């Protein structure tokens, strides 16, 4: 190991637990916002699919312009500072939006929604790369289990948040956005607790000769080295993220037993429960991970066909649950290998590059799905799933991703 590299170390157990709670609640708060925003725009306001796609693209757009800079900033000034700043901004933006959103669906204006999309997008660009820089330290070996453990914590947080989101129709949208802000404050508290527990540990690391990153040829070399993993993120962003954010809301909007929201959040609960189940299965998997991924991809493509059979809310829950079983572990498996190939000094920057590709292409994917879904939400999902399957096979069999 070079003297310029920091050693990969394992977090103390109490600090590890605090980080996982903060990480879980953070992703839960983001997911609550996902459910709340999808319900507010797609169900409560009943905006058309093209406008929905435009707003979703606008929410993801800050990644295109800012995420790499924020990842570099995370390496430069410290991931903890960047995360805390982004979380605080997200909390404040939710409070501001709750003040200005209209109480009646007929009185809505696009300007406050657009401003909220931009602010929440900037917040996510700040927080997500910086939070992920701590993942390799969760376990001493820094192997794929670290990413799967973090993914499980994130999905558990999403389940809890989506379960709370079931009650969004029982109160005004304003109070729901304020509750979302309170979740982020809770995440900040546990992250601060994590930093306090780790303070002595960090002082010991100051004796190490840590390299200060710069935007140079090393980053270009790392991008080339991880190009296959970035291609996977491209496919996820282009075809899978828009489906999760949009398809179910568009389908439920035409189901008579859903109406103005009702049990809509249960769709996300079903998805994340099945994702946790399949992720837990993958943590214990001791066979060939390439075969596991190929099996999951095949199952994923077939599972989308269930969306064509949806006639009521119960059948939508079944279709989404099956979809989550197939999707859950795929990205974490690739992500763990991506982190293994990123050097410590440039990890925040490279995570940001990965998320730029992931969320940046989701901007285009949201617009694409919005257009295709004009022929039917299930048709749009089927087209995206087929293109994703073909693209993933091309990447897996043309690269050394599993070597």
């Amino acid at each position: 190991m070079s003297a310029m590299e920091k050693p990969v170390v394992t977090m103390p157990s109490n600090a590890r637990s605090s980080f996982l709670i903060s990480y879980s609640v953070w992703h839960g708060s983001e997911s609550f916002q996902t459910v709340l925003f999808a319900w507010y725009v797609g169900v409560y306001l009943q905006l058309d699919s093209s406008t929905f796609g435009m707003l979703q693209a606008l929410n993801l757009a800050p990644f295109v312009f800012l995420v790499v800079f924020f990842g570099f900033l995370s390496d430069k000034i410290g991931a903890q500072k960047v995360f805390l700043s982004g979380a605080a901004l997200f909390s404040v933006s939710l409070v501001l939006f709750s003040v200005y959103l209209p109480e009646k669906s007929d009185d809505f204006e696009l300007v406050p929604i657009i401003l909220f999309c931009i602010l929440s997008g900037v917040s996510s660009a700040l927080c997500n790369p910086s939070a992920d820089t701590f993942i390799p330290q969760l376990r001493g070996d820094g192997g794929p289990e670290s990413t799967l453990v973090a993914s499980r914590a994130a999905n558990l947080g999403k389940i809890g948040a989506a379960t709370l989101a079931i009650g969004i129709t029982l109160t005004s949208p304003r109070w729901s956005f304020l509750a979302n802000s309170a979740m982020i404050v809770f995440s900040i508290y546990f992250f601060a607790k994590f930093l306090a527990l780790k303070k002595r540990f960090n002082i010991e690391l100051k004796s190490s000769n840590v390299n200060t990153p710069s935007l140079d040829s090393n980053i270009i070399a790392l991008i080339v080295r991880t190009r296959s993993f970035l291609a996977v993120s491209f496919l996820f962003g282009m075809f899978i993220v828009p489906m999760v954010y949009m398809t179910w809301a568009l389908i439920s909007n035409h189901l008579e037993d859903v109406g103005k929201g009702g049990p809509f959040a249960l769709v996300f609960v079903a998805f994340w429960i099945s994702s946790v189940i399949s992720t837990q299965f993958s943590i214990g998997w001791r066979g060939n991970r390439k075969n596991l991924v190929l099996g999951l991809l095949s199952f994923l493509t077939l599972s989308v066909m269930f969306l064509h059979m949806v006639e009521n809310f119960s059948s939508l829950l079944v279709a989404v649950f099956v979809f989550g079983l197939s999707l859950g572990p795929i990205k974490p498996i690739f992500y763990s290998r991506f982190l293994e190939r990123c050097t410590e000094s440039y990890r925040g920057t490279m995570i940001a590059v990965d998320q730029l590709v992931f969320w940046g292409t989701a901007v285009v994917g949201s617009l694409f799905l919005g257009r295709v879904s004009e022929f039917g939400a299930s048709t749009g999902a089927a087209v995206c799933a087929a293109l994703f399957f073909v693209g993933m096979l091309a990447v897996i069999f043309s690269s050394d991703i599993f070597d």
Side-chain angles (χ1 to χ4, degrees), residues 74-123:
S74 177
D75 288 329
K76 200 78 171 176
I77 69 173
Q80 63 273 15
K81 295 178 182 178
V82 175
F83 176 82
L84 290 172
S85 299
L89 177 62
F90 196 11
S91 182
V92 170
S93 68
L94 284 162
V95 172
L96 291 176
F97 186 61
S98 72
V99 171
Y100 289 101
L101 64 82
E103 285 294 314
K104 297 180 179 179
S105 59
D106 294 336
D107 297 334
F108 87 95
E109 296 179 359
L110 275 178
V111 173
I113 301 177
I114 289 173
L115 290 176
F116 172 72
C117 287
I118 294 173
L119 285 176
S120 62
V122 170
S123 303

Side-chain angles (χ1 to χ4, degrees), residues 210-251:
V210 179
N211 180 40
T212 301
S214 59
L215 293 174
D216 55 21
S217 60
N218 289 330
I219 294 178
I220 303 300
L222 279 172
I223 291 174
V224 173
R225 182 182 176 186
T226 59
R227 62 188 181 278
S228 298
F229 300 96
L230 296 176
V232 170
S233 292
F234 173 90
L235 293 168
F236 265 90
M238 186 71 185
F239 301 118
I240 299 300
V241 173
M243 289 172 59
V244 174
Y245 276 62
M246 296 171 57
T247 297
W248 307 328
L250 293 174
I251 290 177

